Amino acid sequence: MIRVENLYKTFVMGEVQVHALRGVSFEIADGEFVGIMGKSGSGKSTLLRQLGLIDEPTKGEIFYDDKPTHELSLRERSHFRLTYLGYIFQEFALIPELTALENVMLPGMMKGEKREDYERRATELLEIVDLGDRIHHRPKQLSGGQQQRVAIARSLINTPKVLFADEPTASLDSTSSKIVMETFQKLNKELKQTIILVTHEPDDERYLHKTLWMKDGKLIHHKTAI
Amino acid sequence: MKQTLRTWKVGFFLTVRSLTRGNVSTTLMTIFMMAMIFVNLIFLTSIINGLVHTAYNQIIETLTGHILVEPAAGKGSLADATAVEKELMHVNGISHVSPRTNFSAELEYNGEKGSYRGVAIDTEKEAAVTTVKNHVVAGRFLEPDDTNAVILGNQITGGEDVELHEYSLKNVQVGDAVKMTFANGLEKTYTVVGIFDNDFVQADNRFFVNADEYFSLFPELKNQASEMAVRMDHSDVYDVDAVVSDIESRSIDANIRTWKDTAGVVESFTASFTIVNFIVSIVGIIVAGITIFIVMYVDVVNRRKQIGILRAIGIAENSIAISYLLRALLYAVVGIILGMILFNVVIIPMFIRRPLHLPVGNVSLIIDTGVMYMRALALLIVSFLGAYIPIHKTLRMHIIDAIWGE
């Protein structure tokens, strides 16, 4: 379970202070598929980065299974991201010199498992995201949608507790977007994977269990699917 | 320990993939640049080494031989020169000895006059000790039975390319007659039978006459010598200092000096070159460091987003650093090897075929292996630092600044 208490994030740009998050609190249960929605500049991506431990809040607390994260050192945060969290970026974010399989394998290699274990799991994950026939392709040989699915597979290699996705379909056409969202839905249903994604597409709501609406750095309401 | 191995494994994996699947032309250009930096680091040093070696060689080959035997302090000449020469020839390692009588005389040709240093020699012995005979550029070397003959250094005859032309007799040719006025006022006319050019000013502002001819004018000086130039048999086998010690242990009343002791001005120039060489090397290494830093900095900046993403997905910062540092070191190692091959196989043979023609003589490139390895080590160290600073700086950045930042 993720519990967020009174989260603030302020960016200082010269003499100007930008309050991106202003006292956000909520809870997400294991296995939920949650969307964070809102207009541009509402603070949704900032919130996701705090949850994914990529950034540190100015004030407030994030608990994973009731354990506070603010006490973690830089190395511990890195290890926590590697072991418990998966992160998918808007811009695919694959390493161009690595094949699809190697991109997916990399966090597994870092975790220190046996090569045959993480290679087998990477292959399985690429099959789950329907890229079983593209495992030796390099990112430039894949379409945008395929690259995003490789990124999804990579985020799952270490069986994370939570999967974060920051506008994963923003750079994709509607067909690829649909495939990616259905992939998330499949992961959530079949693997009980907790997924939190930022999206500005109202149509995506149909895949979600819960939607957190943001405005001016505040959570304005929760909406739970019936 | 396991974590360290894992960190290295991932770093090594990223390095190998980056090298084998990255931009080949960028990799080749970087390696070529490293090779050029390495060549630049050793090029000037090897020219200076070549210059010093040539100067030392000229001293040995045209002036002093390996050892110079001079009169003891307070004495004007070596008495009983024949006995001294005989004694010297008994020393292990000595192959030839050339007794010389130095004198000063005024030469006059076609209205031009100048005071020059003359040397009375036994022509065959001198030819065995020095290479002046091989550097006769016009006419011939002195023969043992020459009487009214003289050979002049090109600094005395003069000419367009001669450094001391203004102080010369201005264009004396073989066959011309020059009037020689000795210190005691004695005058005699000599025929120029040869002109020598050793490419070494100190050796080429002298003239030679036959010793028998000189002693016929100054019989009281017979069996005396101003100095004896000594040639060693195998200077690579026998140690000069050991031979000097051997001579000193014998009952020869003389001052024994090695060629290096007589180097004087050349030695001070050499010391200056060593200092210049040191400064140039330091500057070269600093420039190399800055160049490598710029290349790696541009590379890291271009991959900053990728570095941020690697960190975001949990790849250890040390693994990322290792991948960049290994790549930089590999560029340096391959560049150094390429530079060494280029230098030893192309540049040095080219300079041996076409040496630099400098006033001190023909200069080729000479580099000491130890110096070359030291420069290689220095380049490796600056490559490491040049890569470490930008990657360390980027890894200290906040992840969101690395991925989305300015």
Side-chain angles (χ1 to χ4, degrees), chain B residues 28-311:
Chain B
L28 292 178
M29 280 298 291
T30 310
I31 289 171
F32 184 71
M33 185 200 74
M34 294 297 258
M36 289 296 102
I37 288 173
F38 180 70
V39 168
N40 180 51
L41 274 182
I42 55 175
F43 187 73
L44 190 60
T45 300
S46 58
I47 284 188
I48 290 175
N49 284 348
L51 196 65
V52 170
H53 179 266
T54 302
Y56 284 165
N57 203 47
Q58 289 281 39
I59 291 170
I60 295 168
E61 297 297 340
T62 66
L63 285 175
T64 65
H66 294 103
I67 295 166
L68 197 62
V69 178
E70 295 174 312
K75 298 199 173 168
S77 63
L78 291 162
D80 198 1
T82 310
V84 172
E85 183 188 344
K86 201 172 175 185
E87 186 66 24
L88 288 172
M89 288 303 290
H90 283 119
V91 175
N92 273 340
I94 291 178
S95 63
H96 297 93
V97 176
S98 173
R100 296 167 177 169
T101 301
N102 298 328
F103 60 97
S104 184
E106 186 186 79
L107 300 184
E108 185 179 347
Y109 168 74
N110 213 14
E112 296 286 343
K113 281 185 191 173
S115 185
Y116 302 102
R117 184 181 160 208
V119 187
I121 54 169
D122 178 311
T123 55
E124 286 177 346
K125 289 175 180 173
E126 182 66 25
V129 171
T130 65
T131 58
V132 176
K133 186 178 182 180
N134 303 333
H135 292 101
V136 173
V137 291
R140 60 171 175 81
F141 196 63
L142 288 171
E143 297 290 344
D145 54 354
D146 280 336
T147 48
N148 293 324
V150 65
I151 59 167
L152 307 177
N154 70 334
Q155 299 293 336
I156 298 174
T157 60
E160 278 182 15
D161 300 331
V162 170
E163 288 84 351
L164 302 178
H165 178 71
E166 282 306 310
Y167 304 98
S168 72
L169 297 179
K170 310 275 189 330
N171 299 319
V172 178
Q173 304 293 325
V174 170
D176 289 342
V178 291
K179 189 171 91 180
M180 195 178 298
T181 307
F182 294 92
N184 65 353
L186 177 67
E187 291 181 356
K188 189 171 179 184
T189 300
Y190 285 85
T191 303
V192 177
V193 296
I195 297 169
F196 57 88
D197 177 7
N198 296 288
D199 271 337
F200 193 44
V201 175
Q202 285 85 339
D204 294 334
N205 62 358
R206 301 174 301 169
F207 64 90
F208 292 101
V209 295
N210 206 321
D212 289 342
E213 157 65 21
Y214 183 77
F215 293 137
S216 71
L217 299 174
F218 301 98
E220 71 279 12
L221 298 178
K222 199 165 183 182
N223 203 25
Q224 292 184 29
S226 306
E227 63 187 28
M228 290 194 189
V230 175
R231 186 151 196 103
M232 284 171 58
D233 218 350
H234 295 286
S235 59
D236 52 333
V237 176
Y238 291 100
D239 177 43
V240 178
D241 292 327
V243 173
V244 166
S245 298
D246 193 347
I247 298 170
E248 284 171 341
S249 69
R250 293 164 188 264
S251 54
I252 298 174
D253 186 21
N255 181 25
I256 319 295
R257 296 202 290 165
T258 67
W259 62 269
K260 210 164 187 179
D261 298 332
T262 67
V265 176
V266 175
E267 184 75 352
S268 66
F269 274 125
T270 304
S272 306
F273 281 141
T274 306
I275 295 167
V276 170
N277 188 15
F278 178 75
I279 294 168
V280 169
S281 301
I282 296 290
V283 171
I285 288 167
I286 291 170
V287 170
I290 292 169
T291 310
I292 293 159
F293 173 82
I294 291 169
V295 170
M296 293 312 292
Y297 184 81
V298 170
D299 186 37
V300 168
V301 165
N302 285 337
R303 291 169 181 255
R304 199 161 66 184
K305 185 172 183 175
Q306 186 176 311
I307 293 168
I309 287 162
L310 284 168
R311 290 171 66 198

Side-chain angles (χ1 to χ4, degrees), chain A residues 55 81 97 102 110 138, chain B residues 6 17 21 311 398:
Chain A
D55 198 4
R81 283 196 302 272
E97 291 92 5
E102 289 165 343
M110 189 75 246
R138 303 254 297 273
Chain B
R6 203 185 310 149
R17 289 296 180 268
R21 296 188 189 150
R311 290 171 66 198
H398 213 287

Side-chain angles (χ1 to χ4, degrees), chain A residues 49 54-55 78 81-82 89 91 93 95-99 102 106 109-112 118 138 154, chain B residues 6 9-10 13 17-18 21 303 305-306 309-316 319 398-400 403-404:
Chain A
R49 290 169 198 164
I54 285 176
D55 198 4
S78 178
R81 283 196 302 272
L82 178 73
F89 299 88
E91 318 87 337
I95 309 302
E97 291 92 5
L98 305 183
T99 64
E102 289 165 343
L106 192 60
M109 185 188 286
M110 189 75 246
K111 200 177 170 189
Y118 61 71
R138 303 254 297 273
R154 181 179 65 185
Chain B
R6 203 185 310 149
K9 187 181 169 187
V10 173
F13 175 76
R17 289 296 180 268
S18 167
R21 296 188 189 150
R303 291 169 181 255
K305 185 172 183 175
Q306 186 176 311
I309 287 162
L310 284 168
R311 290 171 66 198
I313 63 171
I315 304 304
S319 293
H398 213 287
I399 293 177
I400 57 167
I403 301 176
W404 296 286

Side-chain angles (χ1 to χ4, degrees), chain A residues 53-133:
Chain A
L53 303 194
I54 285 176
D55 198 4
E56 288 180 66
T58 309
K59 204 169 94 176
E61 281 284 7
I62 300 167
F63 296 88
Y64 278 88
D65 295 333
D66 293 326
K67 287 175 191 153
T69 58
H70 75 280
E71 290 168 353
L72 298 175
S73 67
L74 272 178
R75 182 177 276 192
E76 286 168 337
R77 287 167 76 87
S78 178
H79 185 70
F80 194 85
R81 283 196 302 272
L82 178 73
T83 318
Y84 295 105
L85 310 179
Y87 207 99
I88 299 156
F89 299 88
Q90 184 180 322
E91 318 87 337
F92 323 140
L94 300 176
I95 309 302
E97 291 92 5
L98 305 183
T99 64
L101 182 67
E102 289 165 343
N103 264 290
V104 177
M105 277 166 37
L106 192 60
M109 185 188 286
M110 189 75 246
K111 200 177 170 189
E113 293 182 0
K114 285 184 183 171
R115 186 182 173 98
E116 54 265 34
D117 289 345
Y118 61 71
E119 190 166 346
R120 178 181 42 74
R121 202 163 61 252
T123 309
E124 286 170 3
L125 285 167
L126 283 167
E127 280 166 4
I128 289 173
V129 296
D130 287 330
L131 289 173
D133 57 343

